[in-house]
Amino acid sequence: MGIPITYTERELVLALKERDNQAFNFLYDNYAGALYSIIKQIITDNAELASDVLQEVFINIWRKIETYDQTKGRLFTWMLNIARNASIDTLRSKSYQNSQKNQELPDNVYKSVASQTTLMNVDNIGLKKVLEKLKAEHRILVELAYFKGFTHEEIAEMMSIPLGTVKTRIRNALLQLREYLQ
Amino acid sequence: MNVKEYISSGIIESYVMGLANESERTEFEQLCTQYPELVAARREFEERLEHHAFENAVPPPSMVKVKVMDSISPKIINMENSKAPVRSSGGLRFVAAASVILLIGLAWFSYQSHNKQDEALQELKNTNLALKEKLDTTQNILNKIVAEQKDVVSNPNVTVVNMVGTQTAPKSSANIYWDSTSSNVFLVVKNMPKLPSDQQYQLWALIDNKPKDLGVFDATDDKVILKMKNTQKAQAFAITIEQKGGSPSPTLQKMQSLGKTRQSQ
């Protein structure tokens, strides 16, 4: 029913801010796959939970569209960060932690995360696939910061490297990542 | 400031990917207002990231879309003339969907029998047309409902009356949207406890200390806008628990919620 409508990003944002359901329908059809991909790169072991997060993310986008500021970046960047934050929050939630069978003692959590992330994963998709091209010492920092949501300070402590080094390495890693995103 | 150096420091990537800290973010946003080349470089990285994300998209389960669209759709139930929900958009959508399926079926059927019976075809065309008209009206009603809901919330003549719980029911709460020009009264239930099946909530307008019945509703009509009976005047609105179908006068000891209007001041 109805004629398919396409929007420019500006038109789409305007229509969404006016609570236009058809625009939201378009938004979902066009962006859900890209956002689901990033969620699955963070919540790697539970597809059902990942789809719950996707649902939550879209409802949040609808609710918070007023706060999106076009001067600060593209619509997709804004939504990508919402999706990434929601996924990391889920990863850190108590219920998720409890669902993980092999519970580590709190002291060992950092180490176990670090050792897991050094392993290459054949199932890697999206950005994680690109990360494989980076040097291990760079890759692990981006993993911890971007996909696990640790702050630079936390990473410095868990990896026993100076904060300045963490920051420089992450920035260099991201610059390399940019080159691979052709 | 050396913009080139700043750009090649990795700040753009860090900012876009949400890894910059607060002071870095503030500084970056501030510099963006001064240096267009910074904005251009940010945009270029954002587009690369976006392009890559689209190339690597993973189709989500189809149920997610159903749930998302359902939870953002406006729902309005008219309580004016009847106790049962009269205009539920879900039902209309079903009618619309059913009409579409019928249309498709009929189109296919008419194609099949095209060579055989011209007369039957004409008849089918007429039915088709009639169905299409029906569908158009259904769509119109749907659009009207959506427009109506927008009006209620954004109309400057609409007063919002916040209904707070009484001592008997401290947690009960609801909002009244009252359009003083058209006398329309809309009710949004925020939190009302479930009632036994032989009881219903009843909304009253208090005019010069006399109650006027504005209709009954159930607690299950949560988070939808209910259109109640109109009133021109009201110093306050009150909600009571009554037997199913409502009472001619309110049972005041069972008052659940009360909200005063500006006419009372």
Side-chain angles (χ1 to χ4, degrees):
Chain A
M1 193 165 38
I3 313 132
I5 295 179
T6 54
Y7 301 82
T8 64
E9 188 170 312
R10 189 174 286 269
E11 288 166 350
L12 183 60
V13 170
L14 274 177
L16 288 172
K17 288 192 175 178
E18 284 172 9
R19 313 258 127 214
D20 182 335
N21 281 34
Q22 198 168 17
F24 191 68
N25 194 54
F26 174 87
L27 183 84
Y28 187 93
D29 288 346
N30 278 274
Y31 291 92
L35 295 180
Y36 190 49
S37 171
I38 189 70
I39 295 168
K40 290 201 78 164
Q41 289 170 56
I42 296 171
I43 302 169
T44 50
D45 58 349
N46 190 334
E48 201 189 332
L49 195 61
S51 66
D52 285 350
V53 172
L54 180 68
Q55 184 185 339
E56 177 197 319
V57 163
F58 268 94
I59 293 171
N60 271 333
I61 290 170
W62 176 253
R63 288 193 184 139
K64 297 203 295 196
I65 188 70
E66 294 297 330
T67 65
Y68 164 64
D69 179 353
Q70 237 160 343
T71 63
K72 290 183 181 173
R74 288 174 64 77
L75 178 65
F76 179 73
T77 305
W78 182 72
M79 297 196 295
L80 183 67
N81 281 320
I82 291 179
R84 173 179 166 257
N85 290 336
S87 308
I88 288 168
D89 286 349
T90 305
L91 213 59
R92 295 184 158 195
S93 69
K94 264 217 168 90
S95 54
Y96 180 83
Q97 297 288 341
N98 290 340
S99 73
Q100 297 300 89
K101 279 177 189 155
N102 296 323
Q103 292 247 14
E104 305 272 345
L105 290 172
D107 287 351
N108 295 334
V109 167
Y110 287 167
K111 275 182 199 155
S112 89
V113 168
S115 68
Q116 278 167 27
T117 42
T118 51
L119 294 171
M120 287 275 200
N121 187 344
V122 283
D123 297 329
N124 276 347
I125 51 166
L127 277 181
K128 278 201 169 168
K129 195 93 200 152
V130 185
L131 273 192
E132 287 176 0
K133 296 183 182 167
L134 301 183
K135 275 196 281 184
E137 61 182 67
H138 280 139
R139 186 173 67 237
I140 188 175
L141 296 187
V142 177
E143 265 277 355
L144 292 172
Y146 190 74
F147 292 99
K148 306 277 182 203
F150 290 107
T151 64
H152 289 18
E153 287 78 6
E154 286 167 330
I155 295 171
E157 193 181 323
M158 64 208 261
M159 304 287 291
S160 308
I161 33 179
L163 180 59
T165 312
V166 171
K167 187 168 278 185
T168 322
R169 281 193 194 164
I170 288 180
R171 290 243 183 137
N172 285 333
L174 295 181
L175 284 168
Q176 284 178 50
L177 200 66
R178 176 201 184 103
E179 293 313 308
Y180 291 125
L181 294 180
Q182 287 294 2
Chain B
M1 194 195 79
N2 187 332
V3 184
K4 262 198 182 144
E5 220 166 77
Y6 185 64
I7 289 175
S8 59
S9 72
I11 177 66
I12 290 175
E13 294 72 17
S14 191
Y15 176 84
V16 169
M17 292 179 76
L19 297 182
N21 65 33
E22 205 181 329
S23 65
E24 289 168 336
R25 279 203 307 272
T26 320
E27 184 189 48
F28 182 78
E29 284 166 9
Q30 212 273 321
L31 289 169
C32 276
T33 61
Q34 293 172 42
Y35 301 95
E37 59 266 53
L38 200 52
V39 178
R42 183 196 72 201
R43 207 175 174 78
E44 206 239 359
F45 179 65
E46 286 188 278
E47 277 164 6
R48 274 195 204 190
L49 196 62
E50 189 167 333
H51 181 72
H52 185 264
F54 274 85
E55 299 248 288
N56 289 275
V58 179
S62 53
M63 262 318 283
V64 179
K65 185 178 178 186
V66 178
K67 288 188 201 163
V68 167
M69 292 311 290
D70 187 59
S71 63
I72 64 128
S73 299
K75 294 166 191 150
I76 289 197
I77 296 174
N78 193 331
M79 307 290 284
E80 228 168 346
N81 305 313
S82 147
K83 275 125 212 162
V86 187
R87 295 195 318 203
S88 132
S89 54
L92 282 172
R93 230 174 263 154
F94 172 76
V95 172
S99 310
V100 170
I101 292 165
L102 260 173
L103 266 178
I104 294 167
L106 282 170
W108 181 80
F109 186 70
S110 69
Y111 172 75
Q112 291 291 311
S113 57
H114 179 248
N115 297 327
K116 289 180 188 169
Q117 295 154 341
D118 272 350
E119 203 176 318
L121 184 63
Q122 191 51 47
E123 199 174 312
L124 276 172
K125 273 184 183 164
N126 291 343
T127 324
N128 230 330
L129 216 65
L131 268 171
K132 172 121 185 15
E133 269 168 25
K134 209 171 187 179
L135 182 62
D136 285 346
T137 13
T138 316
Q139 185 62 45
N140 279 341
I141 296 170
L142 255 178
N143 290 342
K144 223 179 122 194
I145 292 173
V146 174
E148 204 170 278
Q149 198 209 23
K150 272 190 195 162
D151 279 355
V152 173
V153 182
S154 58
N155 186 341
N157 294 323
V158 170
T159 322
V160 186
V161 184
N162 192 12
M163 308 280 292
V164 290
T166 59
Q167 275 184 341
T168 21
K171 280 184 187 161
S172 294
S173 68
N175 272 354
I176 302 277
Y177 293 86
W178 180 37
D179 186 340
S180 46
T181 44
S182 68
S183 313
N184 279 331
V185 177
F186 299 91
L187 173 84
V188 178
V189 174
K190 288 197 288 192
N191 179 29
M192 299 297 280
K194 272 210 169 125
L195 294 179
S197 58
D198 59 336
Q199 294 183 333
Q200 275 185 310
Y201 288 108
Q202 191 164 6
L203 179 71
W204 306 89
L206 298 179
I207 306 157
D208 302 326
N209 281 329
K210 280 184 197 133
K212 178 187 172 191
D213 164 44
L214 295 185
V216 291
F217 63 95
D218 296 306
T220 45
D221 302 324
D222 203 6
K223 286 172 195 139
V224 296
I225 297 189
L226 305 175
K227 190 170 187 318
M228 308 303 287
K229 293 178 187 168
N230 290 2
T231 185
Q232 245 177 346
K233 282 171 124 190
Q235 282 96 42
F237 291 98
I239 295 171
T240 60
I241 297 177
E242 305 293 344
Q243 73 211 41
K244 199 174 170 67
S247 307
S249 63
T251 319
L252 283 175
Q253 61 269 30
K254 285 211 176 162
M255 187 156 79
Q256 297 292 299
S257 193
L258 182 73
K260 287 183 180 157
T261 71
R262 264 185 242 143
Q263 288 186 1
S264 67
Q265 284 150 19

